[in-house]
Amino acid sequence: MNGILGEVGKALIALQANGEVVIEKTEELFVDEITFYVEETLKGVKAEYKVEELESNKKVKITLQ
């Protein structure tokens, strides 16, 4: 999988396995694009989570609560 779907999929798999994920800007995608879709998925399954910005517009950490 490439593009946004691949990045969102990787982030969700990491969240499931580790309870947290750090999302970083790629050459093609911005952090807020990936984070938006991960958050929408988490809201859809009513998961409790926390979002922490590590580097402005470059890195975001999402942790399951």
Side-chain angles (χ1 to χ4, degrees):
M1 285 189 283
N2 293 330
I4 189 77
L5 182 59
E7 292 299 320
V8 170
K10 286 188 246 179
L12 291 171
I13 290 168
L15 268 172
Q16 183 179 17
N18 306 322
E20 67 180 33
V21 65
V22 174
I23 299 171
E24 297 186 42
K25 182 181 181 299
T26 69
E27 289 182 20
E28 301 169 354
L29 300 166
F30 292 103
V31 169
D32 57 343
E33 292 176 300
I34 302 165
T35 303
F36 173 80
Y37 290 108
V38 170
E39 282 190 275
E40 289 299 306
T41 302
L42 294 173
K43 289 175 189 174
V45 297
K46 296 178 176 41
E48 293 186 32
Y49 64 95
K50 180 177 91 173
V51 177
E52 180 181 350
E53 189 171 32
L54 302 177
E55 281 184 54
S56 183
N57 296 322
K58 291 185 181 177
K59 279 188 185 179
V60 169
K61 180 178 178 181
I62 299 177
T63 307
L64 296 177
Q65 300 294 300

